[in-house]
Amino acid sequence: MNSGAASLRPRSMKMPEPLLNSGGLRGLYVRTFGCQMNEYDSLRVQRLLAAMGYVPVDEIGRADVIFLNTCSVRGKAEQKVHSFLGSLRRLKDAKPHLKIIAGGCVAQQLGEKLLDRFDHLDIVIGTRAVSSVAQVLQRVQESGGRLAWLPETDDGYQMSEIGFPTPDLRHPTPDTRPPTSVTAPVTVMQGCNNYCSYCIVPYVRGPERSRPAGQILEEIRLLEESGVREILLLGQNVNSYGRGLDEKITFVGLLRRIARQTGVARIRFTTSHPKDLTDELMSCFAEIDPLCKHLHLPVQAGSDRILARMNRGYTAAGYVEKIRRLRSICPEIALTSDVIVGFPGETEDDFQKTMELLDEARFDNLFSFRYSDRPNTRAAAFSDKVENSEAARRLLELQSYQADITLGKNLAEVGSVRDVLVEGTSRASNGQMTGRTTQNRIVNFEAPLSSIGQICSVKVVFAYSHSLKGVFIAK
Ligand code: SAM
Ligand code: SF4
């Protein structure tokens, strides 16, 4: 472990070690809140702790270790984390050897304060310390104490821990085999330098840093070997990938290398910042075959005054012009976005400008949020807050407007034949498979189990607000 803030607190009594099952394995329960970055880190934790003999369990009661990956991007997300942590006290009382670890953004933000607040919590681990989770757990198990580990620099990636599967897991006992997934996330960069005035991410994830391309390609090859067909490249602002690396490479260069040097069927990425979306990147959607025809491009607001207060670095007209160009380069592209309503100082007129933008942009889908104050951010100090009830009304109006647009877009799919990458069995309807089109629409349809991992031709026969129903045509 490298230098950083660490504190070890003694517990009054050393806990007995857990009883191991016959294979020497212990249960690991992982609960992830928040974004895909957290999903990715949770996978890393599973792989790292697998090397210590921990196997994932679905029932929390069977856990010897609980890893809680927390999110603090909005106030509501943080509240959920606090109430979940509180609910674990009874479990800990009943099972004293249980170790509870909190990672992710709330852990980074509150550090030792989280240990103070929840005395049944054993470990707080910062966003830059995921790689050390096994060592930290071991230290706490040996000492019987409690630990906050918040290094100021990255503990670093090691291929053996993020590559999937690790050499040990490649020949696992049946119990330890990680479920092979058809799609997998791959982090290309961490942190953010943009400091949008509402956003906590730069404070809890640190400054922007890119991973070397060779490391990313190696990870993708390992994923491919284990059966992954689609990768999702992750970063808070992937468009600025490559800054600060010794090698000269841009995000476009990285996409081209992945398409050339690996055999993945599909590539997706998220998130793109509108101010950094270049014509060159737009052209990739027409030129790079495995690149899915979908872009998530958060706009946040339709009023230039609010966009400036948010420190977003573009205007509504500039945004609309970019998506117009994008659609002319790649007419079949699906566009999704994020919007915040009730940002401090947002008037009814500003809000109507956001509604007008939705009308113009006609997003295929939208994630919309009510603004909430986040610690350390500039907007938290703005005095002209919008009343909660007013922000709630605006959110409802916006969501119902967008729901019609989304349904209309889904209805327009009926009758078309789409390539669907089958991800697994559908949760909603028995005996059905579920997958996604290149535009990221979910399609459920009847097909044999052997279609998992295959790209199938599917005729869309019905549209719902969040998914499509299809009929299998051919593999
Ligand atoms: N890096 C991405 C970007 O630039 O859009 C995603 C950042 S954040 C993890 C995901 C979304 O949460 C943002 O796009 C924004 O809409 C929303 N968000 C962030 N901070 C918020 C806040 N304080 N209140 C409400 N929504 C917020
Ligand atoms: Fe947050 Fe803005 Fe960075 Fe996205 S670009 S993570 S919204 S600061």
Side-chain angles (χ1 to χ4, degrees), residues 35 37 71-75 191-192 194 196-201 235-238 270-274 296-300 310 312 314 337-341 343 367-374 377 379:
C35 66
M37 299 271 178
C71 171
S72 62
V73 77
R74 286 171 290 277
C192 184
N194 281 317
C196 300
S197 62
Y198 51 80
C199 186
I200 197 170
V201 169
Q236 293 298 348
N237 179 18
V238 292
T270 198
T271 301
S272 251
H273 196 303
H296 184 63
L297 194 66
V299 64
Q300 311 299 0
M310 286 178 164
R312 289 291 287 177
Y314 54 85
S337 196
D338 290 347
V339 162
I340 297 176
V341 301
F343 184 78
F367 302 87
S368 44
F369 312 101
R370 179 156 32 127
Y371 168 82
S372 64
D373 275 343
R374 300 287 63 218
T377 61

Short mmCIF file of all heavy atoms in Angstrom, two decimals, residues 35 37 71-75 191-192 194 196-201 235-238 270-274 296-300 310 312 314 337-341 343 367-374 377 379, ligand 1:
data_model
loop_
_atom_site.label_atom_id
_atom_site.label_comp_id
_atom_site.label_asym_id
_atom_site.label_seq_id
_atom_site.Cartn_x
_atom_site.Cartn_y
_atom_site.Cartn_z
N CYS A 35 -23.07 4.30 -10.45
CA CYS A 35 -22.77 4.25 -11.88
C CYS A 35 -21.99 3.00 -12.30
O CYS A 35 -21.61 2.17 -11.47
CB CYS A 35 -21.97 5.48 -12.26
SG CYS A 35 -20.34 5.50 -11.49
N MET A 37 -19.00 2.87 -13.21
CA MET A 37 -17.65 2.86 -12.63
C MET A 37 -17.66 1.99 -11.37
O MET A 37 -16.73 1.24 -11.11
CB MET A 37 -17.23 4.26 -12.19
CG MET A 37 -17.18 5.23 -13.29
SD MET A 37 -15.55 5.18 -14.00
CE MET A 37 -15.75 6.32 -15.30
N CYS A 71 -22.43 5.45 -3.61
CA CYS A 71 -22.55 6.54 -4.59
C CYS A 71 -22.98 7.81 -3.86
O CYS A 71 -23.87 7.77 -3.02
CB CYS A 71 -23.59 6.16 -5.63
SG CYS A 71 -24.03 7.50 -6.74
N SER A 72 -22.36 8.93 -4.24
CA SER A 72 -22.77 10.18 -3.59
C SER A 72 -23.08 11.26 -4.61
O SER A 72 -23.08 12.44 -4.29
CB SER A 72 -21.67 10.66 -2.64
OG SER A 72 -20.50 10.94 -3.37
N VAL A 73 -23.37 10.85 -5.86
CA VAL A 73 -23.54 11.85 -6.90
C VAL A 73 -24.77 12.72 -6.66
O VAL A 73 -24.78 13.90 -7.00
CB VAL A 73 -23.52 11.20 -8.31
CG1 VAL A 73 -24.83 10.52 -8.65
CG2 VAL A 73 -23.16 12.22 -9.37
N ARG A 74 -25.80 12.14 -6.06
CA ARG A 74 -26.98 12.91 -5.67
C ARG A 74 -27.31 12.61 -4.22
O ARG A 74 -26.96 11.54 -3.71
CB ARG A 74 -28.18 12.57 -6.57
CG ARG A 74 -28.06 13.17 -7.97
CD ARG A 74 -29.12 12.65 -8.89
NE ARG A 74 -28.93 11.26 -9.21
CZ ARG A 74 -28.12 10.82 -10.16
NH1 ARG A 74 -27.44 11.68 -10.89
NH2 ARG A 74 -27.98 9.53 -10.38
N GLY A 75 -28.03 13.54 -3.58
CA GLY A 75 -28.33 13.38 -2.16
C GLY A 75 -29.09 12.08 -1.88
O GLY A 75 -28.82 11.38 -0.92
N GLY A 191 -11.43 9.65 -12.81
CA GLY A 191 -11.43 11.04 -12.36
C GLY A 191 -11.95 12.02 -13.40
O GLY A 191 -12.35 11.65 -14.49
N CYS A 192 -11.94 13.30 -13.03
CA CYS A 192 -12.46 14.33 -13.92
C CYS A 192 -11.86 15.68 -13.53
O CYS A 192 -11.70 15.98 -12.35
CB CYS A 192 -13.98 14.39 -13.81
SG CYS A 192 -14.71 15.55 -14.97
N ASN A 194 -13.27 18.58 -14.97
CA ASN A 194 -14.20 19.58 -15.52
C ASN A 194 -14.86 20.47 -14.50
O ASN A 194 -15.25 21.58 -14.81
CB ASN A 194 -15.25 18.88 -16.38
CG ASN A 194 -14.71 18.52 -17.74
OD1 ASN A 194 -14.01 19.33 -18.36
ND2 ASN A 194 -14.97 17.32 -18.19
N CYS A 196 -17.85 20.69 -13.17
CA CYS A 196 -19.20 21.24 -13.36
C CYS A 196 -19.66 21.67 -11.97
O CYS A 196 -19.37 20.98 -10.98
CB CYS A 196 -20.12 20.17 -13.95
SG CYS A 196 -19.52 19.59 -15.54
N SER A 197 -20.36 22.80 -11.90
CA SER A 197 -20.52 23.41 -10.58
C SER A 197 -21.39 22.59 -9.62
O SER A 197 -21.37 22.80 -8.42
CB SER A 197 -21.09 24.82 -10.73
OG SER A 197 -22.36 24.75 -11.33
N TYR A 198 -22.18 21.63 -10.16
CA TYR A 198 -23.06 20.82 -9.31
C TYR A 198 -22.44 19.49 -8.89
O TYR A 198 -23.02 18.76 -8.10
CB TYR A 198 -24.37 20.51 -10.09
CG TYR A 198 -24.09 19.94 -11.46
CD1 TYR A 198 -23.77 18.59 -11.63
CD2 TYR A 198 -24.09 20.75 -12.60
CE1 TYR A 198 -23.48 18.07 -12.88
CE2 TYR A 198 -23.80 20.24 -13.84
CZ TYR A 198 -23.49 18.90 -13.97
OH TYR A 198 -23.17 18.39 -15.20
N CYS A 199 -21.27 19.16 -9.44
CA CYS A 199 -20.84 17.76 -9.43
C CYS A 199 -19.74 17.44 -8.41
O CYS A 199 -18.73 18.13 -8.32
CB CYS A 199 -20.38 17.39 -10.83
SG CYS A 199 -20.00 15.64 -10.98
N ILE A 200 -19.95 16.36 -7.71
CA ILE A 200 -19.03 15.95 -6.65
C ILE A 200 -17.88 15.08 -7.19
O ILE A 200 -16.86 14.87 -6.51
CB ILE A 200 -19.82 15.19 -5.55
CG1 ILE A 200 -19.02 15.11 -4.24
CG2 ILE A 200 -20.22 13.79 -5.99
CD1 ILE A 200 -19.82 14.58 -3.05
N VAL A 201 -18.05 14.58 -8.43
CA VAL A 201 -17.11 13.58 -8.95
C VAL A 201 -15.63 14.00 -8.86
O VAL A 201 -14.80 13.23 -8.37
CB VAL A 201 -17.51 13.15 -10.39
CG1 VAL A 201 -16.41 12.32 -11.05
CG2 VAL A 201 -18.81 12.36 -10.35
N GLY A 235 -15.39 6.09 -18.61
CA GLY A 235 -14.63 7.25 -18.14
C GLY A 235 -15.61 8.38 -17.94
O GLY A 235 -16.69 8.38 -18.55
N GLN A 236 -15.29 9.33 -17.07
CA GLN A 236 -16.22 10.45 -16.85
C GLN A 236 -16.30 11.35 -18.08
O GLN A 236 -17.30 12.00 -18.31
CB GLN A 236 -15.81 11.27 -15.62
CG GLN A 236 -15.95 10.53 -14.32
CD GLN A 236 -17.36 10.11 -13.98
OE1 GLN A 236 -18.33 10.55 -14.62
NE2 GLN A 236 -17.50 9.25 -12.99
N ASN A 237 -15.21 11.40 -18.83
CA ASN A 237 -15.20 12.20 -20.05
C ASN A 237 -14.22 11.55 -21.01
O ASN A 237 -13.08 11.99 -21.14
CB ASN A 237 -14.78 13.65 -19.72
CG ASN A 237 -14.74 14.51 -20.96
OD1 ASN A 237 -15.32 14.17 -21.99
ND2 ASN A 237 -14.04 15.62 -20.87
N VAL A 238 -14.68 10.49 -21.67
CA VAL A 238 -13.77 9.68 -22.48
C VAL A 238 -13.12 10.49 -23.61
O VAL A 238 -12.03 10.15 -24.07
CB VAL A 238 -14.46 8.43 -23.07
CG1 VAL A 238 -14.83 7.44 -22.00
CG2 VAL A 238 -15.66 8.80 -23.92
N THR A 270 -18.95 5.37 -22.62
CA THR A 270 -19.68 6.40 -21.88
C THR A 270 -18.72 6.97 -20.82
O THR A 270 -17.89 6.20 -20.31
CB THR A 270 -20.96 5.81 -21.25
OG1 THR A 270 -21.84 6.84 -20.90
CG2 THR A 270 -20.68 4.95 -20.04
N THR A 271 -18.71 8.25 -20.50
CA THR A 271 -19.58 9.28 -21.01
C THR A 271 -18.78 10.27 -21.85
O THR A 271 -17.60 10.46 -21.63
CB THR A 271 -20.18 10.05 -19.81
OG1 THR A 271 -20.91 9.16 -18.98
CG2 THR A 271 -21.14 11.10 -20.27
N SER A 272 -19.49 10.94 -22.74
CA SER A 272 -18.89 11.94 -23.61
C SER A 272 -19.32 13.31 -23.15
O SER A 272 -20.49 13.52 -22.87
CB SER A 272 -19.47 11.75 -25.01
OG SER A 272 -18.55 11.24 -25.87
N HIS A 273 -18.40 14.25 -23.10
CA HIS A 273 -18.78 15.63 -22.77
C HIS A 273 -19.00 16.39 -24.07
O HIS A 273 -18.13 16.40 -24.93
CB HIS A 273 -17.66 16.29 -21.95
CG HIS A 273 -18.11 17.53 -21.25
ND1 HIS A 273 -18.65 18.60 -21.94
CD2 HIS A 273 -18.13 17.88 -19.95
CE1 HIS A 273 -18.96 19.56 -21.08
NE2 HIS A 273 -18.66 19.13 -19.86
N PRO A 274 -20.16 17.06 -24.21
CA PRO A 274 -20.46 17.74 -25.47
C PRO A 274 -19.37 18.72 -25.91
O PRO A 274 -19.09 18.85 -27.10
CB PRO A 274 -21.76 18.49 -25.16
CG PRO A 274 -22.38 17.72 -24.05
CD PRO A 274 -21.27 17.16 -23.24
N HIS A 296 -24.30 8.49 -25.63
CA HIS A 296 -24.89 9.15 -24.47
C HIS A 296 -24.16 10.49 -24.32
O HIS A 296 -22.95 10.53 -24.09
CB HIS A 296 -24.70 8.29 -23.22
CG HIS A 296 -25.38 8.88 -22.01
ND1 HIS A 296 -26.74 9.05 -21.94
CD2 HIS A 296 -24.88 9.35 -20.85
CE1 HIS A 296 -27.06 9.60 -20.79
NE2 HIS A 296 -25.94 9.81 -20.10
N LEU A 297 -24.91 11.57 -24.50
CA LEU A 297 -24.30 12.90 -24.54
C LEU A 297 -25.08 13.83 -23.60
O LEU A 297 -26.03 14.51 -24.02
CB LEU A 297 -24.33 13.43 -25.98
CG LEU A 297 -23.46 14.62 -26.30
CD1 LEU A 297 -21.97 14.29 -26.17
CD2 LEU A 297 -23.73 15.12 -27.72
N PRO A 298 -24.67 13.88 -22.32
CA PRO A 298 -25.47 14.64 -21.34
C PRO A 298 -25.50 16.13 -21.66
O PRO A 298 -24.46 16.76 -21.82
CB PRO A 298 -24.73 14.39 -20.02
CG PRO A 298 -23.96 13.13 -20.25
CD PRO A 298 -23.55 13.19 -21.69
N VAL A 299 -26.71 16.69 -21.76
CA VAL A 299 -26.85 18.12 -22.08
C VAL A 299 -27.04 18.93 -20.81
O VAL A 299 -26.64 20.08 -20.74
CB VAL A 299 -28.00 18.35 -23.10
CG1 VAL A 299 -29.35 17.96 -22.54
CG2 VAL A 299 -28.02 19.78 -23.59
N GLN A 300 -27.71 18.38 -19.82
CA GLN A 300 -27.97 18.97 -18.49
C GLN A 300 -29.02 20.07 -18.47
O GLN A 300 -29.82 20.14 -17.55
CB GLN A 300 -26.68 19.47 -17.81
CG GLN A 300 -25.51 18.49 -17.81
CD GLN A 300 -25.76 17.17 -17.07
OE1 GLN A 300 -26.84 16.96 -16.54
NE2 GLN A 300 -24.78 16.28 -17.08
N MET A 310 -23.57 26.27 -14.70
CA MET A 310 -23.15 24.88 -14.45
C MET A 310 -21.69 24.65 -14.84
O MET A 310 -21.15 23.57 -14.60
CB MET A 310 -24.03 23.91 -15.26
CG MET A 310 -25.44 23.73 -14.74
SD MET A 310 -26.33 22.60 -15.88
CE MET A 310 -27.74 22.14 -14.87
N ARG A 312 -20.56 24.30 -17.97
CA ARG A 312 -20.53 23.20 -18.92
C ARG A 312 -19.69 23.50 -20.17
O ARG A 312 -19.29 22.58 -20.88
CB ARG A 312 -21.95 22.82 -19.33
CG ARG A 312 -22.72 22.15 -18.22
CD ARG A 312 -22.18 20.77 -17.90
NE ARG A 312 -22.50 19.78 -18.92
CZ ARG A 312 -22.08 18.51 -18.88
NH1 ARG A 312 -21.30 18.08 -17.92
NH2 ARG A 312 -22.40 17.66 -19.84
N TYR A 314 -20.52 24.96 -23.12
CA TYR A 314 -21.16 24.98 -24.45
C TYR A 314 -22.51 25.67 -24.31
O TYR A 314 -23.00 25.86 -23.18
CB TYR A 314 -21.35 23.56 -25.03
CG TYR A 314 -22.09 22.62 -24.10
CD1 TYR A 314 -23.48 22.56 -24.05
CD2 TYR A 314 -21.38 21.79 -23.23
CE1 TYR A 314 -24.15 21.71 -23.18
CE2 TYR A 314 -22.04 20.94 -22.35
CZ TYR A 314 -23.43 20.91 -22.33
OH TYR A 314 -24.09 20.07 -21.45
N SER A 337 -29.42 11.19 -23.15
CA SER A 337 -28.84 12.35 -22.48
C SER A 337 -29.22 12.37 -21.00
O SER A 337 -30.03 11.57 -20.55
CB SER A 337 -29.34 13.62 -23.17
OG SER A 337 -28.55 14.73 -22.81
N ASP A 338 -28.58 13.28 -20.26
CA ASP A 338 -28.93 13.54 -18.86
C ASP A 338 -29.39 14.99 -18.74
O ASP A 338 -28.83 15.87 -19.41
CB ASP A 338 -27.69 13.44 -17.94
CG ASP A 338 -27.16 12.04 -17.79
OD1 ASP A 338 -27.85 11.08 -18.18
OD2 ASP A 338 -26.03 11.90 -17.26
N VAL A 339 -30.38 15.22 -17.89
CA VAL A 339 -30.84 16.59 -17.62
C VAL A 339 -31.00 16.77 -16.11
O VAL A 339 -31.43 15.85 -15.42
CB VAL A 339 -32.19 16.86 -18.33
CG1 VAL A 339 -32.90 18.07 -17.75
CG2 VAL A 339 -31.99 17.07 -19.82
N ILE A 340 -30.62 17.94 -15.63
CA ILE A 340 -30.88 18.29 -14.23
C ILE A 340 -31.94 19.38 -14.23
O ILE A 340 -31.79 20.38 -14.94
CB ILE A 340 -29.60 18.83 -13.54
CG1 ILE A 340 -28.51 17.75 -13.51
CG2 ILE A 340 -29.91 19.33 -12.13
CD1 ILE A 340 -27.18 18.22 -12.95
N VAL A 341 -33.00 19.21 -13.45
CA VAL A 341 -33.98 20.31 -13.31
C VAL A 341 -33.88 20.90 -11.90
O VAL A 341 -33.43 20.24 -10.96
CB VAL A 341 -35.44 19.89 -13.60
CG1 VAL A 341 -35.60 19.34 -14.99
CG2 VAL A 341 -35.93 18.90 -12.56
N PHE A 343 -31.96 23.43 -11.03
CA PHE A 343 -30.63 23.93 -10.67
C PHE A 343 -30.80 25.33 -10.05
O PHE A 343 -31.70 26.07 -10.45
CB PHE A 343 -29.77 24.00 -11.94
CG PHE A 343 -28.35 24.40 -11.69
CD1 PHE A 343 -27.44 23.48 -11.20
CD2 PHE A 343 -27.93 25.72 -11.90
CE1 PHE A 343 -26.13 23.85 -10.93
CE2 PHE A 343 -26.63 26.09 -11.64
CZ PHE A 343 -25.72 25.16 -11.15
N PHE A 367 -32.17 10.48 -19.00
CA PHE A 367 -32.08 10.30 -17.55
C PHE A 367 -32.20 11.69 -16.94
O PHE A 367 -31.39 12.56 -17.25
CB PHE A 367 -30.76 9.63 -17.16
CG PHE A 367 -30.60 8.30 -17.84
CD1 PHE A 367 -30.04 8.21 -19.10
CD2 PHE A 367 -31.07 7.14 -17.23
CE1 PHE A 367 -29.93 6.98 -19.75
CE2 PHE A 367 -30.97 5.91 -17.86
CZ PHE A 367 -30.40 5.84 -19.12
N SER A 368 -33.22 11.88 -16.12
CA SER A 368 -33.42 13.23 -15.60
C SER A 368 -33.44 13.22 -14.08
O SER A 368 -33.93 12.27 -13.47
CB SER A 368 -34.72 13.82 -16.16
OG SER A 368 -35.74 12.86 -16.10
N PHE A 369 -32.88 14.27 -13.50
CA PHE A 369 -32.68 14.31 -12.06
C PHE A 369 -33.10 15.67 -11.52
O PHE A 369 -32.93 16.69 -12.19
CB PHE A 369 -31.20 14.11 -11.72
CG PHE A 369 -30.59 12.93 -12.44
CD1 PHE A 369 -29.79 13.12 -13.57
CD2 PHE A 369 -30.83 11.64 -12.01
CE1 PHE A 369 -29.25 12.04 -14.24
CE2 PHE A 369 -30.28 10.55 -12.67
CZ PHE A 369 -29.49 10.75 -13.79
N ARG A 370 -33.58 15.63 -10.28
CA ARG A 370 -33.82 16.89 -9.57
C ARG A 370 -32.48 17.30 -8.95
O ARG A 370 -31.80 16.47 -8.34
CB ARG A 370 -34.88 16.66 -8.51
CG ARG A 370 -35.15 17.89 -7.74
CD ARG A 370 -36.52 17.94 -7.07
NE ARG A 370 -37.12 16.71 -6.62
CZ ARG A 370 -37.57 16.53 -5.37
NH1 ARG A 370 -37.42 17.47 -4.46
NH2 ARG A 370 -38.16 15.43 -5.03
N TYR A 371 -32.10 18.55 -9.12
CA TYR A 371 -30.84 19.02 -8.55
C TYR A 371 -30.78 18.78 -7.05
O TYR A 371 -31.76 18.99 -6.34
CB TYR A 371 -30.65 20.53 -8.83
CG TYR A 371 -29.52 21.11 -8.02
CD1 TYR A 371 -28.20 20.98 -8.43
CD2 TYR A 371 -29.77 21.73 -6.78
CE1 TYR A 371 -27.16 21.46 -7.66
CE2 TYR A 371 -28.74 22.21 -6.00
CZ TYR A 371 -27.43 22.07 -6.45
OH TYR A 371 -26.40 22.53 -5.68
N SER A 372 -29.61 18.31 -6.58
CA SER A 372 -29.43 18.27 -5.12
C SER A 372 -28.04 18.81 -4.77
O SER A 372 -27.07 18.59 -5.52
CB SER A 372 -29.63 16.86 -4.56
OG SER A 372 -28.67 15.97 -5.05
N ASP A 373 -27.96 19.52 -3.65
CA ASP A 373 -26.68 20.09 -3.20
C ASP A 373 -25.70 18.97 -2.87
O ASP A 373 -26.07 18.01 -2.19
CB ASP A 373 -26.90 20.87 -1.89
CG ASP A 373 -27.36 22.28 -2.15
OD1 ASP A 373 -27.21 22.77 -3.28
OD2 ASP A 373 -27.88 22.90 -1.18
N ARG A 374 -24.47 19.11 -3.33
CA ARG A 374 -23.43 18.14 -2.99
C ARG A 374 -22.28 18.87 -2.29
O ARG A 374 -21.92 19.99 -2.68
CB ARG A 374 -22.90 17.44 -4.25
CG ARG A 374 -23.92 16.67 -5.05
CD ARG A 374 -24.35 15.36 -4.39
NE ARG A 374 -25.03 15.48 -3.13
CZ ARG A 374 -24.87 14.64 -2.09
NH1 ARG A 374 -24.03 13.65 -2.18
NH2 ARG A 374 -25.54 14.79 -0.98
N THR A 377 -19.18 21.42 -3.69
CA THR A 377 -19.39 21.94 -5.05
C THR A 377 -19.74 23.42 -4.99
O THR A 377 -20.27 23.91 -3.99
CB THR A 377 -20.53 21.17 -5.76
OG1 THR A 377 -21.73 21.35 -5.01
CG2 THR A 377 -20.23 19.69 -5.87
N ALA A 379 -22.05 24.98 -6.73
CA ALA A 379 -23.49 25.24 -6.75
C ALA A 379 -24.12 25.11 -5.36
O ALA A 379 -25.14 25.75 -5.08
CB ALA A 379 -24.18 24.28 -7.73
N1 SAM B 1 -19.42 12.54 -16.41
C1 SAM B 1 -20.73 12.43 -16.81
C2 SAM B 1 -21.16 13.76 -17.41
O1 SAM B 1 -20.40 14.65 -17.61
O2 SAM B 1 -22.31 13.90 -17.73
C3 SAM B 1 -21.66 11.90 -15.75
C4 SAM B 1 -21.59 12.49 -14.41
S1 SAM B 1 -22.71 12.04 -13.13
C5 SAM B 1 -22.01 10.65 -12.48
C6 SAM B 1 -24.17 11.49 -13.89
C7 SAM B 1 -25.27 12.50 -13.93
O3 SAM B 1 -25.72 12.81 -12.63
C8 SAM B 1 -24.91 13.83 -14.52
O4 SAM B 1 -24.88 13.81 -15.92
C9 SAM B 1 -25.97 14.74 -13.96
O5 SAM B 1 -27.09 14.80 -14.82
C10 SAM B 1 -26.36 14.07 -12.66
N2 SAM B 1 -25.89 14.86 -11.50
C11 SAM B 1 -24.62 15.08 -11.12
N3 SAM B 1 -24.59 15.87 -10.03
C12 SAM B 1 -25.88 16.14 -9.69
C13 SAM B 1 -26.50 16.91 -8.66
N4 SAM B 1 -25.79 17.57 -7.76
N5 SAM B 1 -27.85 16.94 -8.62
C14 SAM B 1 -28.59 16.28 -9.53
N6 SAM B 1 -28.06 15.56 -10.53
C15 SAM B 1 -26.71 15.49 -10.62
#
